[in-house]
Amino acid sequence: MRVLLVGAGGVGSAIVKIAARRGFFDRFVVADYDPARAEAAVAALGAAEGRFTACRADASDEEEVARLLTEHGCDVLMNATDPRFVMPLFNAALAAGAHYVDMAMSLSRPHPEDPYGTCGVKLGDEQFERAAEWEKSGRLALVGMGVEPGLSDVFARYAADELFDDIEEIGIRDGADLTVEGYDFAPSFNIWTTIEECLNPPVVYERERGWFTTEPFSEPEVFDFPEGIGPVECVNVEHEEVLLVPRWVGARRVTFKYGLGDDFIGKLKTLHALGLDSTEPVTVRGEDGSPVRVSPRDVVAACLPDPATLGDRMTGRTCAGTWVKGTKDDLPREVYLYHVVDNQWSMREYGSQAVVWQTAVNPVVALELLAAGVWSGSGILGPEALPPRPFLDLLTAYGSPWAIREQGPAQTPSQATAPAAPAPAPGH
């Protein structure tokens, strides 16, 4: 297999480090708009860099990316950029006859008249509009293959296949006890993406109603996370799992909730109130007095530390997981399938902070399964459309095991009655 990785930021660089220890590919081309970042990601491998090449690529330029895929004879495009570039990269892969993998889907647009009740353009709608073309091409677009979405969707498929006869609800629940020394506000994941998913109307799925939206941060509940993280207040957030899981897994209800904490929610609300979450450019004056057009959200991102550089200052763990409620053998059952990464471990083993590493490991596992032919298909598929057991077994073989907790009364999500301890920004 020959891979073109577009995006050499925190997650992209972690993908390179993880892939370097595996033998499933012949060539890994690492491309970024800033060629120095791509070169640094490859150079960090030292003696292991022989199978890697660094180059420049503009993720917004479909023709340039398609040309790179062809020039390097790449079988698959791995998208490690932010969601703004999903569609040009997705289209470039199709044009070049390559497979495609991403960790986030095409952006949504709220309903113009009823944003907190009715879906407008949903996450992934633009991609699924081209499903017939991908099917005809014989190529696979594996969408939403990070940790959330990604591993969480694999958990949903595994629960449906092996743990339940009937599922009432699938709820993705993400929480952490990560802290960053020296910063009052330092999100552990891309702030541009975090603002997008946290301030957009969250989507909920119910079988009788279909997909619908609610107010941001709705339906607060306290969820007790495993391995010492403990109770964290979680709220509804827009996320791809709610759009993907119902397509392939039968459930009466699907939700996604982040453990954000009151402090982080308050800061997001302030950004929104000030218009600093906007992606529409505004005009400011440059140093020479000339007008400059800039997006307020890009300014916020530029003012905050790069999450990939925070690992040395971070302590704690991050947990991604899927809570499932239903019946097995006519008896009620609740489980939480989860994956925890300790920042101290990920920094020691890979030099990547926990949230970045947890996001990056899953697409590498998926690429290895695709290279081996264990996962295959054509058209546009989510992770829950493919066999879960090979993925979970290989993830464990990477040295990062997952677990299942049978839920009792103490772990069952409950309506929040008081603020839980603040949590840092979520991961993917």
Side-chain angles (χ1 to χ4, degrees):
M1 171 181 278
R2 298 174 72 89
V3 180
L4 172 63
L5 170 70
V6 182
V11 173
S13 295
I15 286 173
V16 170
K17 294 173 186 175
I18 296 165
R21 301 189 184 187
R22 309 299 296 187
F24 65 86
F25 62 92
D26 302 311
R27 175 63 54 185
F28 219 98
V29 181
V30 183
D32 196 276
Y33 187 78
D34 179 358
R37 288 210 307 181
E39 291 163 3
V42 173
L45 301 176
E49 70 176 83
R51 293 180 295 157
F52 292 81
T53 301
C55 67
R56 184 188 182 278
D58 181 350
S60 67
D61 189 332
E62 292 181 22
E63 291 186 2
E64 178 184 329
V65 175
R67 186 168 60 252
L68 274 176
L69 285 163
T70 301
E71 287 177 359
H72 291 279
C74 292
D75 306 288
V76 59
L77 188 159
M78 176 71 242
N79 177 1
T81 63
D82 73 52
R84 289 175 289 182
F85 302 109
V86 163
M87 288 311 298
L89 294 176
F90 176 82
N91 291 334
L94 180 61
H99 301 297
Y100 170 85
V101 180
D102 65 28
M103 294 171 279
M105 297 176 66
S106 59
L107 292 171
S108 65
R109 292 190 294 277
H111 191 280
E113 298 171 357
D114 183 25
Y116 303 129
T118 304
C119 292
V121 175
K122 301 187 299 300
L123 291 170
D125 276 357
E126 287 187 79
Q127 288 172 285
F128 279 109
E129 285 176 0
R130 303 202 68 183
E133 295 173 72
W134 276 90
E135 186 73 34
K136 183 178 179 181
S137 75
R139 296 294 183 264
L140 171 64
L142 177 57
V143 296
M145 190 59 254
V147 59
E148 292 173 341
L151 178 58
S152 51
D153 303 69
V154 174
F155 283 152
R157 175 81 267 166
Y158 178 83
D161 287 354
E162 302 199 24
L163 304 180
F164 289 85
D165 297 322
D166 183 71
I167 294 176
E168 178 181 334
E169 181 170 353
I170 294 174
I172 315 307
R173 300 293 184 264
D174 180 296
D177 62 1
L178 294 166
T179 58
V180 183
E181 179 186 0
Y183 289 95
D184 292 328
F185 185 59
S188 56
F189 201 77
N190 181 295
I191 187 62
W192 198 101
T193 304
T194 301
I195 290 172
E196 180 75 14
E197 60 196 22
C198 289
L199 291 178
N200 275 352
V203 180
V204 174
Y205 172 84
E206 293 179 357
R207 183 178 294 164
E208 294 77 13
R209 188 174 173 182
W211 286 295
F212 62 93
T213 55
T214 71
E215 294 275 350
F217 317 119
S218 58
E219 297 183 358
E221 68 180 42
V222 175
F223 192 88
D224 187 18
F225 288 91
E227 299 194 22
I229 295 173
V232 178
E233 182 176 311
C234 300
V235 294
N236 278 326
V237 167
E238 180 191 50
H239 231 251
E240 285 90 344
E241 291 94 327
V242 180
L243 288 311
L244 287 172
V245 169
R247 296 175 184 268
W248 289 283
V249 179
R252 291 180 178 84
R253 194 168 196 261
V254 182
T255 56
F256 181 97
K257 296 188 181 184
Y258 264 151
L260 295 174
D262 287 345
D263 180 67
F264 189 74
I265 290 174
K267 285 182 169 62
L268 288 175
K269 288 181 176 179
T270 299
L271 290 174
H272 179 65
L274 296 175
L276 295 176
D277 61 323
S278 174
T279 60
E280 292 298 318
V282 297
T283 301
V284 298
R285 293 292 176 184
E287 290 184 358
D288 61 356
S290 61
V292 177
R293 298 282 286 169
V294 61
S295 157
R297 192 186 300 185
D298 287 342
V299 173
V300 172
C303 290
L304 291 171
D306 180 353
T309 67
L310 297 175
D312 290 332
R313 293 175 173 263
M314 285 175 61
T315 57
R317 293 143 297 188
T318 183
C319 179
T322 303
W323 166 70
V324 187
K325 179 181 179 181
T327 59
K328 178 68 173 178
D329 299 328
D330 296 322
L331 295 174
R333 189 180 194 187
E334 292 185 46
V335 302
Y336 183 57
L337 302 95
Y338 66 91
H339 182 252
V340 170
V341 177
D342 185 282
N343 188 73
Q344 185 177 8
W345 176 86
S346 64
M347 286 298 296
R348 182 180 67 249
E349 293 293 321
Y350 286 90
S352 297
Q353 56 104 319
V355 175
V356 164
W357 190 90
Q358 189 183 47
T359 305
V361 67
N362 295 285
V364 180
V365 172
L367 287 173
E368 184 160 346
L369 292 175
L370 292 171
V374 176
W375 272 12
S376 62
S378 61
I380 302 175
L381 299 179
E384 54 278 277
L386 298 163
R389 173 65 76 172
F391 186 97
L392 296 174
D393 288 346
L394 189 54
L395 178 64
T396 300
Y398 272 51
S400 190
W402 58 284
I404 302 175
R405 181 180 69 187
E406 293 284 345
Q407 297 285 99
Q411 293 85 37
T412 299
S414 60
Q415 290 301 113
T417 56
H428 276 262

